[in-house]
Amino acid sequence: MESELSLSGKVVYIVYRNEDTFYTVVKFKIADEREKVITATGILPVRPETDVIYQIYGEYIEHPRYGMQFKIEGMERPLPSQAESIIRYLSGIQFQGIGKKTAEKIVLTLGEDCLKEIREDPRILYQVPGLREDKIQTIVEGIRQEEDGMEELVRFLNVHGLGVKNLVRLNRTYGKKALERLKENPYRVMEECDGFGFKTADKIAMSLGFEKDDKRRLCALMVSMAMDLCMASGDSWIDREVFLERFDKENDSEADSRMILEAVKDRGQLIEEEGRIFPVSQYESETFIADFLSRFPYRESEPFDKGLLEEYLEGMQKELGMSYDQDQLDAIHSFFQYPFLIITGGPGTGKTTVVRALTALYRLLYPGSTVITAAPTGRAAKRLAEMTDCDSMTIHSLLKWDLETNTFGMNEDEPLTADLLIVDEFSMVDSWLFANLLRASKNIRRICLIGDEDQLPSVSPGSVLRDLIRSDLFPLFRLSRIYRQRDGSDVITLAHQIHEGTADFTVLENDVRFFRCSRQDIRRHVLTIVKGALDKGYEMNDIQVLSPIYSGNAGIDVLNNALQECFNPASSSKREMKVAYTVFREGDKVLQLKNQPDDDVYNGDIGVIEEILKPEETENHQAVIVCRFDETIVEYAGDNLNNITLAYCISIHKSQGSEYPIVIMPVSWKFYNMLQRKLIYTGITRARQALVLLGEYSAFEKGIETLETRERKTGLTERLRLAMEEGERAKLAEAFF
């Protein structure tokens, strides 16, 4: 054990233990003349027992509040070393059938180091005269049971800087055999343990002496590359020849890429279909969606009184003092006629009004029925709840997503219990998430998807809304008439102009402005506009700056730092904490970057830092940032600190599903690769009341003229059509025979 100091002694009692991270604080009595009791802390995967001799390894450190402590880097229960102790040990209850005489024979033959030697090489037991095979196995297994394998794993991971999270994942999957499994094939963790990518697996493999041309490594690299390419492009598949060419460029061995591909396909790690290479998750998602929808619904809705629907609809319009137009009426009637329906439309076209009517009418026609509403983001779910008067949640929360295992608690075996499912902001939903939603929906009688087809597609692979619409297999209602003519009406007008590829600011007199300036002046003008809004009485949460990129003078990082000083300047009354290059301050506006279902906070949620705690003020001696997201309080410490960032300026992608009273959005040729109509359209439609665009007008013109530079490559539309045809043929055959 390579450590600065080794101490032998007993755990007196456990002061604190976190079973999720294994962080433990114990009182430890050193086995010497003084029997001094010290405080020892560390990552201890196995809960230590009291009154048991342990050997701990590490160093003394001085904690600012609790004084001197021993930082544990390793901990183990030493095996007995004296002959008498070894004989008592080997004839104990954990070694059934091994009596005192057999134990004495082992010690006499192999010496006092026998236990250590048996642990390292069990074959030496064959040197003991007359020792039967069954007794040899009993001894070997008994000694191994005394080892938990975890201490060695902790040391191994620490050496490679892999951290506690990876330890927890490995322990959950492999238990005591984790290190053994890693040494057999470190690349297996990519498939068997969620959260491990190729780089981590490869780092372990190289340290274990694996060769770069090892077939296991090359197969893992190919699988990883396929998924990485799909994540980067949003595609569900890659062209075979393009993929092999790319692999040959990045692969640093002389291996035949075609042979590697065949091996990967034989293992079922990639799927090839007509020259298209699919990651398994994408292939299975598309095929499941197509199969499920070709058979949907699995439970038919009860018939309803059409006259009663008309009566309720008429009464609702009178109560609201409004009349639905023909497109809206068609959507409402079709909703009750078809089990699966898509409604799309831009801002101000009445989607909210229609959805409110659908849920209200459904409850009237089907008393006692259960309605579920969901959206991809927390803010979108909250807006959906307000418009429908139904409980609403994120899709991940609805499906009881487990962060550590990346699995869902609601699935085919544990389906959702509801009659109606409405999903808003559906343009953001990727194929993998939609497939998992459908897996849990076999009890659903009716599904309604709502989205704006002109917004950006999902961040992850797939273009589900587009593919469903293009299939021409499902009732689709496009709402185009603009209704919202008061607050934010200019924003809506501009959105519909951009939809047509034009923009005329001369007719936008109230809520929209475009300030022309050079890219070098964007930062200064953003600050001027923000200060002006604050002077007029607007508050931090009223104003959201959006930018498509992180780097550069008009990028998210630079603007966040500048806006932090504008919205929340440094003060002696506010604590600060630096994480990497970001300074967090009490009162800061922050953005959640990853889903944390256990804390009920999700990717894209925006909150405020309520408090920053110093290490000496917390139970586990870690600095903590406490954030408030509406009514939810979340604590961030350790690795979780990477899950938040400043939110004065956020990306347009992260803003999807949210609305803000005022949006400020720079446009520059610096964003050249991002300048396209859907991006600009998505950004401006985040504004609820007012929109300020600024920067280079020629770049803005280029953006609204540019449709997607390339369409995402998916197979869902084709699969839907084939699945429907097969379903129809099956129904005809069943009816005929």
Side-chain angles (χ1 to χ4, degrees), residues 398-417:
L398 173 67
L399 296 179
K400 297 182 180 179
W401 179 61
D402 185 294
L403 173 65
E404 295 298 330
T405 61
N406 197 28
T407 57
F408 295 96
M410 308 306 291
N411 48 45
E412 289 160 301
D413 297 325
E414 295 290 336
L416 297 166
T417 304

Side-chain angles (χ1 to χ4, degrees), residues 293-397:
L293 293 181
S294 71
R295 303 167 187 267
F296 186 78
Y298 294 79
R299 296 171 65 214
E300 296 287 345
S301 295
E302 298 296 326
F304 64 93
D305 187 332
K306 293 182 181 179
L308 200 56
L309 171 61
E310 295 300 330
E311 183 182 325
Y312 287 145
L313 188 53
E314 186 176 341
M316 186 177 295
Q317 292 178 92
K318 286 180 180 178
E319 184 179 338
L320 296 173
M322 59 159 289
S323 296
Y324 294 114
D325 70 19
Q326 193 58 49
D327 286 344
Q328 292 173 319
L329 289 171
D330 289 344
I332 292 169
H333 284 109
S334 294
F335 169 79
F336 289 98
Q337 183 180 353
Y338 300 104
F340 189 88
L341 185 75
I342 303 170
I343 299 174
T344 183
T349 56
K351 294 196 300 295
T352 299
T353 306
V354 171
V355 174
R356 187 181 291 121
L358 295 181
T359 54
L361 290 168
Y362 192 85
R363 286 166 162 169
L364 289 169
L365 288 171
Y366 296 101
S369 61
T370 305
V371 177
I372 292 178
T373 61
T377 69
R379 293 215 161 195
K382 185 178 179 181
R383 286 194 293 108
L384 186 59
E386 291 168 354
M387 77 169 75
T388 61
D389 194 28
C390 297
D391 289 336
S392 187
M393 60 189 76
T394 66
I395 298 172
H396 283 82
S397 181

Side-chain angles (χ1 to χ4, degrees), residues 207-218:
S207 69
L208 291 171
F210 278 65
E211 298 294 333
K212 288 195 172 183
D213 60 355
D214 189 296
K215 189 174 181 180
R216 291 167 293 183
R217 178 181 185 271
L218 296 174

Side-chain angles (χ1 to χ4, degrees), residues 655-671:
S655 73
Q656 271 188 278
S658 300
E659 286 185 345
Y660 315 95
I662 301 172
V663 166
I664 301 170
M665 192 168 85
V667 184
S668 166
W669 283 108
K670 178 73 175 176
F671 312 153

Side-chain angles (χ1 to χ4, degrees), residues 42-105:
I43 306 299
L44 307 180
V46 177
R47 187 182 185 89
E49 300 176 36
T50 57
D51 204 32
V52 171
I53 292 290
Y54 285 100
Q55 199 77 21
I56 59 175
Y57 306 87
E59 61 180 339
Y60 280 105
I61 59 170
E62 186 170 358
H63 191 278
R65 181 174 178 182
Y66 299 102
M68 293 301 294
Q69 298 180 342
F70 191 85
K71 182 181 178 183
I72 301 173
E73 294 176 2
M75 184 175 191
E76 64 184 18
R77 292 173 63 170
L79 293 170
S81 58
Q82 296 179 352
E84 194 173 318
S85 298
I86 296 170
I87 291 168
R88 281 200 306 270
Y89 173 73
L90 285 175
S91 56
I93 59 172
Q94 67 267 49
F95 298 98
Q96 293 294 326
I98 308 297
K100 187 176 179 181
K101 287 185 178 180
T102 302
E104 288 174 345
K105 188 186 295 185

Side-chain angles (χ1 to χ4, degrees), residues 29 39 138 173-175 180 275 281 296 304 386 434 619 681:
K29 182 188 287 187
T39 300
T138 298
T173 304
Y174 302 123
E180 180 185 333
S281 61
F296 186 78
F304 64 93
E386 291 168 354
F434 188 45
E619 193 173 26
Y681 176 89

Side-chain angles (χ1 to χ4, degrees), residues 240 261-262 265 270-278:
R240 173 191 168 95
L261 177 58
E262 291 306 313
K265 285 162 50 182
L270 291 177
I271 308 294
E272 182 173 0
E273 186 179 71
E274 298 179 355
R276 300 176 295 180
I277 304 298
F278 287 84

Side-chain angles (χ1 to χ4, degrees), residues 60 155 174 199 230 276 438 516 527 672 701 736:
Y60 280 105
R155 294 194 294 275
Y174 302 123
K199 287 184 179 179
C230 286
R276 300 176 295 180
L438 294 182
R516 300 177 189 236
L527 294 177
Y672 183 80
E701 287 183 311
F736 182 78

